[in-house]
Amino acid sequence: MLILVGFLIGSFLEVGAADVGVASTPPMGWNSWNHFACKVTAADVRAAADTIARNGMKDAGYTYVNIDDCWEGTRDQRGKIQPNEKFGDMKALADYVHARGLKIGLYSSPGPKTCAGYEGSYQHEEQDAEQYAAWGFDYLKYDWCSAEKVYPRSQMPAVYKKMQDALVRTGRPFVFSLCQYGYDRVWRWGTSVGGNLWRTTEDISDHYDRMSVIGFGQDGLEPFAGIGHWNDPDMLEVGNGGMNRDEYITHMSLWVLLAAPLLAGNDLARMTPETLDLLTNPEVIAVDQDRKGVQGRRVAQEGPLEVWAKPLADGAIAVGLFNRGESSNPVTVNFEDLGLGGSVMVRDLWSHKNLGSFKASYTAEVPRHGAVLVKVR
Ligand code: GLA
């Protein structure tokens, strides 16, 4: 039986399809870019791992500790990629993260240079995949960047598939994260090149306007997400300081309804208890990680007021009431829009409170730029 299962898994992986097993729910973890950008060091990565392991984030589901751009050094005489002096021993770093019961990721580009101008994997795909596996990495974010200069866009799927094949040949499971900013409707072909997640947009920033344009712009992409392959509206900015609490509640509520990967992008070792609460609310995270794996969508809109819904495995529906306006407003969800009749039980997920039973609709007062996230059944 075991041999048969092994064979089936093996042949499945050989065709280069997404390794569903590593991302059966949207990947969760941390990534260095949004806060540290190119200043990131191995010490920052170790501090992130230490923090996740002891502050409740690991228990909440945060697993991957991901180094973004700027870890790369030069290649040795045989062409092997080396880290730069800020990173030193990559194997030791991977061991350190694994010893805390976490997984570790890194970053490269199919082009000659990464977006920040560091060494990319162009013409070294096989060698780099082997090196990442030998160091013990579990996740690769592969960022188009300068590939734009050496490949026509039409070759993009083949270029991503080439790295996926190289990763599969190492025999080590990798989460494969496609980063090409949503070019060429990647959601239509991302799975076929082995992508477990693919960015659907250009970069997020720590501003309400940017976050909300990206988040509320995801409607219509829900048919392309599912178990093992997710739309990625970019990493979290929660706790980076550019948005207020209501805006970060909108950010988290929207990302969980979108079944988005949840990669914290703040300085974990120095965050406030309030930020930790926003990142680790169990009932909110459960919406994102729901095993049905359905991405939510907009079900109603009235000017700046929006209602989004995500069906859950237990038959309930997670519903977000959003106010994109500049002053507090009541926002109403009509149960008809959710296909529900009779009396409907409503539970507030951020505050863990049963709100009671309602007929026809539920209305909440939602602050400017804020959100209320409920579960209805
Ligand atoms: C691009 C990506 C970002 C980040 C930077 C690193 O802009 O979209 O997420 O990885 O490159 O240089």
Side-chain angles (χ1 to χ4, degrees), residues 71-76 78-84 90 106-108 118-121 124 127-129 131-132 135:
W71 65 268
E72 310 87 340
T74 50
R75 293 185 182 277
D76 70 11
R78 288 164 301 153
K80 270 194 175 189
I81 185 75
Q82 308 294 315
N84 61 44
M90 295 294 269
L106 83 182
Y107 165 103
S108 190
Y118 286 77
E119 188 71 16
S121 293
H124 291 275
Q127 216 174 7
D128 284 358
Q131 184 63 78
Y132 306 154
W135 284 335

mmCIF file of all heavy atoms in Angstrom, residues 71-76 78-84 90 106-108 118-121 124 127-129 131-132 135:
data_model
loop_
_atom_site.group_PDB
_atom_site.id
_atom_site.type_symbol
_atom_site.label_atom_id
_atom_site.label_comp_id
_atom_site.label_asym_id
_atom_site.label_seq_id
_atom_site.Cartn_x
_atom_site.Cartn_y
_atom_site.Cartn_z
ATOM 1 N N TRP A 71 19.530 38.163 -0.039
ATOM 2 C CA TRP A 71 20.369 37.203 0.685
ATOM 3 C C TRP A 71 21.525 36.711 -0.211
ATOM 4 O O TRP A 71 22.509 36.153 0.268
ATOM 5 C CB TRP A 71 19.563 35.976 1.139
ATOM 6 C CG TRP A 71 19.039 35.141 -0.010
ATOM 7 C CD1 TRP A 71 17.816 35.267 -0.614
ATOM 8 C CD2 TRP A 71 19.719 34.089 -0.710
ATOM 9 N NE1 TRP A 71 17.694 34.356 -1.637
ATOM 10 C CE2 TRP A 71 18.847 33.624 -1.718
ATOM 11 C CE3 TRP A 71 20.979 33.499 -0.581
ATOM 12 C CZ2 TRP A 71 19.198 32.590 -2.602
ATOM 13 C CZ3 TRP A 71 21.332 32.466 -1.453
ATOM 14 C CH2 TRP A 71 20.438 32.030 -2.447
ATOM 15 N N GLU A 72 21.390 36.940 -1.546
ATOM 16 C CA GLU A 72 22.276 36.294 -2.509
ATOM 17 C C GLU A 72 23.654 36.954 -2.553
ATOM 18 O O GLU A 72 23.790 38.169 -2.477
ATOM 19 C CB GLU A 72 21.663 36.366 -3.921
ATOM 20 C CG GLU A 72 20.208 35.914 -4.016
ATOM 21 C CD GLU A 72 19.181 37.029 -3.731
ATOM 22 O OE1 GLU A 72 19.533 38.043 -3.109
ATOM 23 O OE2 GLU A 72 18.028 36.858 -4.132
ATOM 24 N N GLY A 73 24.674 36.099 -2.729
ATOM 25 C CA GLY A 73 26.029 36.597 -2.957
ATOM 26 C C GLY A 73 26.434 36.285 -4.395
ATOM 27 O O GLY A 73 25.605 36.401 -5.305
ATOM 28 N N THR A 74 27.659 35.855 -4.580
ATOM 29 C CA THR A 74 28.123 35.532 -5.936
ATOM 30 C C THR A 74 28.143 34.018 -6.108
ATOM 31 O O THR A 74 27.873 33.267 -5.165
ATOM 32 C CB THR A 74 29.541 36.088 -6.152
ATOM 33 O OG1 THR A 74 30.341 35.657 -5.047
ATOM 34 C CG2 THR A 74 29.523 37.598 -6.214
ATOM 35 N N ARG A 75 28.501 33.562 -7.305
ATOM 36 C CA ARG A 75 28.634 32.124 -7.569
ATOM 37 C C ARG A 75 30.100 31.724 -7.438
ATOM 38 O O ARG A 75 30.989 32.512 -7.771
ATOM 39 C CB ARG A 75 28.115 31.800 -8.977
ATOM 40 C CG ARG A 75 26.624 32.020 -9.104
ATOM 41 C CD ARG A 75 26.047 31.605 -10.437
ATOM 42 N NE ARG A 75 24.620 31.928 -10.430
ATOM 43 C CZ ARG A 75 23.670 31.152 -9.888
ATOM 44 N NH1 ARG A 75 23.994 29.973 -9.382
ATOM 45 N NH2 ARG A 75 22.407 31.533 -9.871
ATOM 46 N N ASP A 76 30.346 30.507 -6.967
ATOM 47 C CA ASP A 76 31.732 30.034 -6.887
ATOM 48 C C ASP A 76 32.192 29.565 -8.274
ATOM 49 O O ASP A 76 31.433 29.655 -9.252
ATOM 50 C CB ASP A 76 31.884 28.973 -5.795
ATOM 51 C CG ASP A 76 31.204 27.648 -6.157
ATOM 52 O OD1 ASP A 76 30.800 27.472 -7.329
ATOM 53 O OD2 ASP A 76 31.076 26.791 -5.256
ATOM 54 N N ARG A 78 32.436 26.782 -9.626
ATOM 55 C CA ARG A 78 31.572 25.780 -10.260
ATOM 56 C C ARG A 78 30.165 26.317 -10.542
ATOM 57 O O ARG A 78 29.296 25.581 -10.986
ATOM 58 C CB ARG A 78 31.508 24.528 -9.377
ATOM 59 C CG ARG A 78 32.807 23.714 -9.368
ATOM 60 C CD ARG A 78 32.813 22.751 -8.198
ATOM 61 N NE ARG A 78 32.675 23.487 -6.931
ATOM 62 C CZ ARG A 78 32.158 23.002 -5.816
ATOM 63 N NH1 ARG A 78 31.700 21.776 -5.783
ATOM 64 N NH2 ARG A 78 32.092 23.741 -4.720
ATOM 65 N N GLY A 79 29.951 27.572 -10.231
ATOM 66 C CA GLY A 79 28.650 28.179 -10.518
ATOM 67 C C GLY A 79 27.658 28.072 -9.369
ATOM 68 O O GLY A 79 26.508 28.484 -9.491
ATOM 69 N N LYS A 80 28.097 27.519 -8.254
ATOM 70 C CA LYS A 80 27.181 27.369 -7.101
ATOM 71 C C LYS A 80 26.896 28.707 -6.448
ATOM 72 O O LYS A 80 27.818 29.458 -6.135
ATOM 73 C CB LYS A 80 27.828 26.457 -6.046
ATOM 74 C CG LYS A 80 27.516 25.001 -6.217
ATOM 75 C CD LYS A 80 27.906 24.287 -4.931
ATOM 76 C CE LYS A 80 27.521 22.829 -4.974
ATOM 77 N NZ LYS A 80 27.692 22.192 -3.666
ATOM 78 N N ILE A 81 25.613 28.958 -6.182
ATOM 79 C CA ILE A 81 25.230 30.227 -5.559
ATOM 80 C C ILE A 81 25.663 30.238 -4.084
ATOM 81 O O ILE A 81 25.507 29.243 -3.371
ATOM 82 C CB ILE A 81 23.711 30.485 -5.696
ATOM 83 C CG1 ILE A 81 23.317 31.856 -5.154
ATOM 84 C CG2 ILE A 81 22.880 29.396 -5.033
ATOM 85 C CD1 ILE A 81 23.683 33.006 -6.023
ATOM 86 N N GLN A 82 26.229 31.368 -3.660
ATOM 87 C CA GLN A 82 26.637 31.561 -2.267
ATOM 88 C C GLN A 82 25.812 32.697 -1.669
ATOM 89 O O GLN A 82 25.468 33.630 -2.388
ATOM 90 C CB GLN A 82 28.122 31.962 -2.196
ATOM 91 C CG GLN A 82 29.070 31.034 -2.943
ATOM 92 C CD GLN A 82 29.102 29.651 -2.309
ATOM 93 O OE1 GLN A 82 29.189 29.526 -1.088
ATOM 94 N NE2 GLN A 82 29.021 28.614 -3.126
ATOM 95 N N PRO A 83 25.536 32.623 -0.380
ATOM 96 C CA PRO A 83 24.853 33.774 0.244
ATOM 97 C C PRO A 83 25.834 34.936 0.394
ATOM 98 O O PRO A 83 27.052 34.728 0.296
ATOM 99 C CB PRO A 83 24.451 33.232 1.607
ATOM 100 C CG PRO A 83 25.451 32.165 1.904
ATOM 101 C CD PRO A 83 25.826 31.555 0.585
ATOM 102 N N ASN A 84 25.337 36.132 0.642
ATOM 103 C CA ASN A 84 26.241 37.255 0.908
ATOM 104 C C ASN A 84 26.649 37.257 2.386
ATOM 105 O O ASN A 84 26.200 36.418 3.168
ATOM 106 C CB ASN A 84 25.622 38.584 0.437
ATOM 107 C CG ASN A 84 24.312 38.894 1.153
ATOM 108 O OD1 ASN A 84 24.213 38.728 2.370
ATOM 109 N ND2 ASN A 84 23.314 39.326 0.395
ATOM 110 N N MET A 90 23.921 29.121 5.169
ATOM 111 C CA MET A 90 22.478 28.947 4.925
ATOM 112 C C MET A 90 21.952 27.638 5.515
ATOM 113 O O MET A 90 20.807 27.556 5.954
ATOM 114 C CB MET A 90 22.188 28.986 3.417
ATOM 115 C CG MET A 90 22.475 30.325 2.780
ATOM 116 S SD MET A 90 21.380 31.652 3.375
ATOM 117 C CE MET A 90 20.050 31.567 2.180
ATOM 118 N N LEU A 106 13.082 30.805 0.691
ATOM 119 C CA LEU A 106 13.947 31.827 0.135
ATOM 120 C C LEU A 106 13.427 32.268 -1.220
ATOM 121 O O LEU A 106 12.327 31.869 -1.629
ATOM 122 C CB LEU A 106 15.415 31.384 0.103
ATOM 123 C CG LEU A 106 15.970 30.519 -1.039
ATOM 124 C CD1 LEU A 106 17.422 30.195 -0.780
ATOM 125 C CD2 LEU A 106 15.161 29.285 -1.269
ATOM 126 N N TYR A 107 14.223 33.064 -1.903
ATOM 127 C CA TYR A 107 13.743 33.868 -3.028
ATOM 128 C C TYR A 107 14.774 33.844 -4.145
ATOM 129 O O TYR A 107 15.983 33.870 -3.878
ATOM 130 C CB TYR A 107 13.551 35.284 -2.490
ATOM 131 C CG TYR A 107 13.393 36.385 -3.502
ATOM 132 C CD1 TYR A 107 12.140 36.926 -3.778
ATOM 133 C CD2 TYR A 107 14.498 36.924 -4.163
ATOM 134 C CE1 TYR A 107 11.995 37.971 -4.684
ATOM 135 C CE2 TYR A 107 14.353 37.960 -5.073
ATOM 136 C CZ TYR A 107 13.110 38.486 -5.334
ATOM 137 O OH TYR A 107 12.956 39.508 -6.227
ATOM 138 N N SER A 108 14.299 33.792 -5.387
ATOM 139 C CA SER A 108 15.192 34.015 -6.526
ATOM 140 C C SER A 108 14.375 34.520 -7.703
ATOM 141 O O SER A 108 13.159 34.713 -7.593
ATOM 142 C CB SER A 108 15.938 32.735 -6.906
ATOM 143 O OG SER A 108 16.954 33.036 -7.865
ATOM 144 N N TYR A 118 20.399 41.564 -7.243
ATOM 145 C CA TYR A 118 21.263 40.462 -6.787
ATOM 146 C C TYR A 118 21.250 39.327 -7.822
ATOM 147 O O TYR A 118 20.496 39.360 -8.795
ATOM 148 C CB TYR A 118 20.788 39.967 -5.415
ATOM 149 C CG TYR A 118 21.135 40.921 -4.302
ATOM 150 C CD1 TYR A 118 20.393 42.092 -4.113
ATOM 151 C CD2 TYR A 118 22.216 40.683 -3.460
ATOM 152 C CE1 TYR A 118 20.722 42.995 -3.111
ATOM 153 C CE2 TYR A 118 22.544 41.575 -2.445
ATOM 154 C CZ TYR A 118 21.793 42.732 -2.281
ATOM 155 O OH TYR A 118 22.125 43.620 -1.287
ATOM 156 N N GLU A 119 22.097 38.332 -7.594
ATOM 157 C CA GLU A 119 22.238 37.212 -8.528
ATOM 158 C C GLU A 119 20.926 36.426 -8.677
ATOM 159 O O GLU A 119 20.346 36.003 -7.685
ATOM 160 C CB GLU A 119 23.353 36.297 -7.972
ATOM 161 C CG GLU A 119 23.796 35.190 -8.870
ATOM 162 C CD GLU A 119 24.600 35.678 -10.071
ATOM 163 O OE1 GLU A 119 25.078 36.828 -10.079
ATOM 164 O OE2 GLU A 119 24.735 34.882 -11.015
ATOM 165 N N GLY A 120 20.479 36.240 -9.921
ATOM 166 C CA GLY A 120 19.284 35.441 -10.184
ATOM 167 C C GLY A 120 19.659 34.033 -10.624
ATOM 168 O O GLY A 120 20.837 33.667 -10.654
ATOM 169 N N SER A 121 18.658 33.241 -10.989
ATOM 170 C CA SER A 121 18.897 31.819 -11.299
ATOM 171 C C SER A 121 19.037 31.537 -12.798
ATOM 172 O O SER A 121 19.161 30.373 -13.191
ATOM 173 C CB SER A 121 17.743 30.971 -10.749
ATOM 174 O OG SER A 121 17.747 30.987 -9.345
ATOM 175 N N HIS A 124 21.024 28.738 -14.313
ATOM 176 C CA HIS A 124 21.537 27.960 -13.172
ATOM 177 C C HIS A 124 20.382 27.313 -12.416
ATOM 178 O O HIS A 124 20.522 27.012 -11.230
ATOM 179 C CB HIS A 124 22.305 28.871 -12.206
ATOM 180 C CG HIS A 124 23.597 29.376 -12.758
ATOM 181 N ND1 HIS A 124 24.781 28.673 -12.693
ATOM 182 C CD2 HIS A 124 23.876 30.529 -13.408
ATOM 183 C CE1 HIS A 124 25.747 29.371 -13.256
ATOM 184 N NE2 HIS A 124 25.230 30.502 -13.710
ATOM 185 N N GLN A 127 21.043 23.816 -10.785
ATOM 186 C CA GLN A 127 22.054 23.951 -9.736
ATOM 187 C C GLN A 127 21.477 24.670 -8.500
ATOM 188 O O GLN A 127 21.755 24.280 -7.360
ATOM 189 C CB GLN A 127 23.172 24.810 -10.326
ATOM 190 C CG GLN A 127 24.543 24.444 -9.909
ATOM 191 C CD GLN A 127 25.579 25.278 -10.665
ATOM 192 O OE1 GLN A 127 25.248 26.216 -11.400
ATOM 193 N NE2 GLN A 127 26.832 24.919 -10.467
ATOM 194 N N ASP A 128 20.686 25.685 -8.739
ATOM 195 C CA ASP A 128 20.120 26.429 -7.610
ATOM 196 C C ASP A 128 19.104 25.579 -6.846
ATOM 197 O O ASP A 128 19.115 25.547 -5.612
ATOM 198 C CB ASP A 128 19.473 27.734 -8.086
ATOM 199 C CG ASP A 128 20.528 28.797 -8.424
ATOM 200 O OD1 ASP A 128 21.728 28.510 -8.251
ATOM 201 O OD2 ASP A 128 20.141 29.904 -8.855
ATOM 202 N N ALA A 129 18.256 24.875 -7.591
ATOM 203 C CA ALA A 129 17.269 24.020 -6.918
ATOM 204 C C ALA A 129 17.992 22.991 -6.046
ATOM 205 O O ALA A 129 17.609 22.755 -4.892
ATOM 206 C CB ALA A 129 16.376 23.327 -7.946
ATOM 207 N N GLN A 131 20.936 23.264 -4.727
ATOM 208 C CA GLN A 131 21.540 23.958 -3.585
ATOM 209 C C GLN A 131 20.494 24.273 -2.506
ATOM 210 O O GLN A 131 20.738 24.051 -1.316
ATOM 211 C CB GLN A 131 22.213 25.247 -4.073
ATOM 212 C CG GLN A 131 22.952 25.994 -2.995
ATOM 213 C CD GLN A 131 24.111 25.178 -2.439
ATOM 214 O OE1 GLN A 131 25.169 25.076 -3.053
ATOM 215 N NE2 GLN A 131 23.910 24.570 -1.285
ATOM 216 N N TYR A 132 19.328 24.762 -2.937
ATOM 217 C CA TYR A 132 18.274 25.079 -1.954
ATOM 218 C C TYR A 132 17.892 23.809 -1.182
ATOM 219 O O TYR A 132 17.689 23.849 0.035
ATOM 220 C CB TYR A 132 17.011 25.645 -2.616
ATOM 221 C CG TYR A 132 17.210 26.855 -3.513
ATOM 222 C CD1 TYR A 132 16.305 27.117 -4.549
ATOM 223 C CD2 TYR A 132 18.280 27.724 -3.337
ATOM 224 C CE1 TYR A 132 16.466 28.223 -5.376
ATOM 225 C CE2 TYR A 132 18.451 28.827 -4.178
ATOM 226 C CZ TYR A 132 17.535 29.070 -5.198
ATOM 227 O OH TYR A 132 17.686 30.149 -6.024
ATOM 228 N N TRP A 135 20.627 22.788 1.270
ATOM 229 C CA TRP A 135 20.603 23.631 2.479
ATOM 230 C C TRP A 135 19.418 23.277 3.375
ATOM 231 O O TRP A 135 19.418 23.625 4.558
ATOM 232 C CB TRP A 135 20.485 25.113 2.087
ATOM 233 C CG TRP A 135 21.768 25.731 1.575
ATOM 234 C CD1 TRP A 135 23.050 25.352 1.838
ATOM 235 C CD2 TRP A 135 21.863 26.878 0.702
ATOM 236 N NE1 TRP A 135 23.940 26.176 1.195
ATOM 237 C CE2 TRP A 135 23.237 27.134 0.492
ATOM 238 C CE3 TRP A 135 20.930 27.712 0.081
ATOM 239 C CZ2 TRP A 135 23.701 28.182 -0.314
ATOM 240 C CZ3 TRP A 135 21.386 28.754 -0.707
ATOM 241 C CH2 TRP A 135 22.758 28.981 -0.906
#
